[in-house]
Amino acid sequence: MRVGVFICHCGNNIAGTIDVARVAEETRKIPGVVYATTYMYTCSEPGQEEIKEAIKREGLDRVVVAACSPRMHEMTFRRTVEKAGLNRYFFEMANIREHISWVGEDKEFNTRKAIDVVRMAVAKVMQNRPLFSSSFKINKRVLVMGGGVAGMQAALDCADGGLEVVIVEKSQSIGGMMARLDKTFPTIDCSICILGPKMVDVAQHEKIKLYAYSEIDEIKGYVGNYQVKIRKKATYVDWSKCTGCGACMEKCPSKNAYDYFNFGVAPTKAINIPFPQAIPKKAKIDPNYCRQFTKGKCGVCAKICPTKAIDYEMKDEIITEEVGAIIVATGYSLIDMDMLPEYGGGRYPDVISGIQYERLLNASGPTAGHIERPSDHEEPKTIVFVSCAGSRDKSIGIPYCSNFCCMYIAKQAILTKDHISDSQSYVFYMDIRSPGKGYDEFTRRAQEEYGVHYIRGRVSRIYPKGKKLVVRGADTLLGTQVEIEADLVVLATAVISNKDAAYMAEKLHISYDTFGFYVESHPKLRPVETNTSGVFLAGACQGPKDIPASVGQGSAAASKILALFSGETLESDPAVARVNINACVGCLKCVKTCPFGAIKEKELRDGRVVADVIETVCAGCGVCTSTCPCGAIQLQHFTDNQILAEVNALCLI
Amino acid sequence: MADREYAYYSGCSLEGTAVEYDISVRRVMEALGIRLSEPEDWSCCGSTPAHTVDHLLAAALAARNLTIIEKMGFNTVITPCPSCMMAFKKAHHRMKEDIRFKDEVNSLLDEPYNLNVQSKSALQIIIEDIGLEKVKERVTHVMPDLKVAPYYGCILNRPPEIAQFDDPENPLSMDKIFTAIGVEVCDFAFKVECCGAAYGVPKRDMVNELTYKILSMAVDCGANCVAVACPLCQQNLDLRQQQVNIRKNTSFNIPVLYFSQIMGLAYGYSPEEMVIDKLVVNPDSLISSRITLSQWNEMKAREAEASKAKKKEKKNIEKIEEET
Ligand SMILES: Cc1cc2nc3c(=O)[nH]c(=O)nc-3n(C[C@H](O)[C@H](O)[C@H](O)COP(=O)(O)OP(=O)(O)OC[C@H]3O[C@@H](n4cnc5c(N)ncnc54)[C@H](O)[C@@H]3O)c2cc1C
Ligand code: SF4
Ligand code: SF4
């Protein structure tokens, strides 16, 4: 065996705290190593050329690169050795950067540790076997979870690219949060006017199939071949008959249903179509408020409906769809105002949230676009906006910035002046975050042209005084306490992940952060990919972001899928579990432990039952390996022998 | 018969300026079947004077008392004064979090404190250990004229990670107790505003300003008295009310009672037994209308009867009118 080792300086990243020359020198003494050298940037083009040449010149049959994390460049170097004629699994990477040079300061100690790590990699590479991936056919349909602006953009781009798309939207209509907005910053264009046509496109696109008021029950399979169980929740209205005429809604006697679309600004009917531009424009019954359900009698809508669409007996329906890739675009939620008791949201009716205010501004909202106080329906003259209401507040577990509220506060303050010319708006802020294109100009306009009074400081308390609300806060620029008597207070409540975010993540086998936002594969270089191949992210489910960024991600995710589906087949990763049928006793413990359901039982010709791995489903996690009492199931490229060789290299010298 | 027994640390205020708090808490606890055991040879809790100059000394003073209580075999001490309670809770918390600090504190003590004592306010014991059911059961008297603004002050529930009781921004324990004993509670927005605490001595004007705000809010929300759970709050709101009136040209005359005094009155103790006369602003006019629960129930029954009869009469008249 002829092993070659390439030790990278990575500029000063590695060479700064590791004596790379000495590592090379010591490496040369390892039996089996015939060549060891150092290089400034091994991943650069000349660096890779050097490896290829050395393979030919020195007759190398195994290669070790001691450099950064394999997550960074393992694929790069596997391709390099493959181009020089070696099997790509005859390559190992020793991580001497993230694991050593970046974390330790003692050069002598680091150098010795690097030598150990290289020795382990050499021991492992000498045990490596050639592995070959096989190709499998793919189903080129796409599932988009969530029909907000990000999901819609992704669906339209995929469909325009020729792929069939299935959208599963949890609520009654697509549109997400953007459908609730009045105008959008920084151009103040009407939100539904730019979103509505897109919604219609989604509905009419021949390649898009929409399941509204539906949820994902189960996801099985792997990239290229997923089976998805979709639960079409009972709406108690047969949507194939419903024409969206709204007659039922007019006559329904139950008038106090909670209006989810309007965030409870005003009550709605127990049967309703959430907003005029809803897609699909179909009615749905809320059984928590419908008298037929709560009292057992009513039936008004059934009598009224001209197409006899009402069906009180309707049950959830389960549908299975087969797709090859998934885009998760499930968006975000907002904190409840009662998480901020010092502001009295929920206790004082005239303390409302930003999204509720958005509905008050909206011409198709519950007040037809007239700004009025919830308490007495009077027009407010003094409006106070509180930014970072819950955001950037470690004490309630939300240390992050909600990203878009500084901007929408400026927008809402401008719109307030447009609606009520003799009004005065105040904004309490920590700092104004407006780094987008045209954004800073926009917040300045609010101050300079619209006379919005910005006060730098936090609000400590809001309390009622007669018909007014006193907002007490600090003005940290003046160094004093200020109190403003407001008619209406708007809280820019913090953005949080959806309640079911973690639950969905487990179904999708993707990771989420401490706050429930989905984690991308690389924060800079792979922003819409996840670590599960075939699953992509778009929009605010990955972290708070505004419409332009959400749309950008939607398109990016679509283009990733179009690239993924550019051929007819995909290559499988051969580093999966494999069963040695001679050693397997058929206890099937591995079948139970495999989190991906990748192991099946198989009957051999002699009637013996053994375990069998479905190569394309196995994610290579290795749980089965440690479960098997006989050592019969082995993860390829991480076999017991390979790992033991590494341990021995470290311990037996 | 006592159902439970707790250690009871009254602290220096309750021996002097706030004896009525001490006496009323003891009596109410007795009425609720709680026996209180006072540690012998207790000393300063380590609050204000000590903790403003030396945290180690403050913790040692607190821990000395906790050691005595620990040795008595109690794991809970009732500390009605929030300053004492916070001094104990803080010392305990910090010693628990930081072993070096614990060793340092213990090195100053004759006997070490082993972190086995929880300090709780009387409110916390009543809500968590006794329960509102029992609080309600013991009621013998009704005070129909009382409209209370419950004022908790700033340290009873804060900081929340140390206080570990009730909501730091909108506490409700006192509200719930009053509701349970049938006393009307007002929606008071300044429950946790600062009263100025011990700054009454060095910065009287500032404290007058703060108490002015609290008293105004109490009056604005329709209360005719304020309930407190802290000797210092009581003093600032009650004793200094006249100062506020002079300084701000107001005419506040709103009594400030300890919550335990109100409970005691509902449990049938006499105003003398609750040492009501020690309060500066006299609450007599509010509590003189106190009647027994049975009288109250009789009265309510009579009222119900009367309104029923009235309704009937009205119906009859309507009927006759219809017929004619
Ligand atoms: C008050 C306010 C004002 C704003 N103003 C502006 C503005 O002027 N300009 C701007 O650029 N941005 C603004 N924003 C931000 C904007 O709302 C977001 O950028 C945008 O909505 C993000 O789109 P999204 O598709 O990622 O998420 P969402 O809009 O949240 O859409 C997600 C969709 O997924 C669905 N869903 C959730 N969970 C599931 C599930 N498990 N299965 C299936 N479907 C699911 C939801 O029902 C929803 O339809 C504002 C936000 C607020 C709160
Ligand atoms: S965007 Fe502005 S208001 Fe919103 S959390 Fe960030 S800094 Fe606060
Ligand atoms: S655990 Fe091992 S022995 Fe048991 S069935 Fe799986 S492979 Fe076979």
Side-chain angles (χ1 to χ4, degrees), chain B residues 203-217:
Chain B
K203 290 204 163 182
R204 199 168 89 184
D205 284 356
M206 184 192 79
V207 172
N208 285 163
E209 192 62 43
L210 293 169
T211 47
Y212 163 73
K213 285 187 180 167
I214 294 168
L215 293 169
S216 309
M217 183 54 88

Side-chain angles (χ1 to χ4, degrees), chain A residues 341-342 347-348 460-461 463-465 472 481 483, chain B residues 158 167 169-170 187 189-190 192-193 213 217 220:
Chain A
E342 65 274 30
R347 258 186 302 151
Y348 310 135
S460 65
R461 176 168 301 286
Y463 60 88
K465 188 174 173 194
R472 183 198 293 162
Q481 204 179 60
E483 286 192 351
Chain B
R158 299 194 286 189
D167 190 292
E169 296 299 339
N170 183 25
D187 187 6
F190 279 1
V192 292
E193 288 293 306
K213 285 187 180 167
M217 183 54 88
D220 285 350

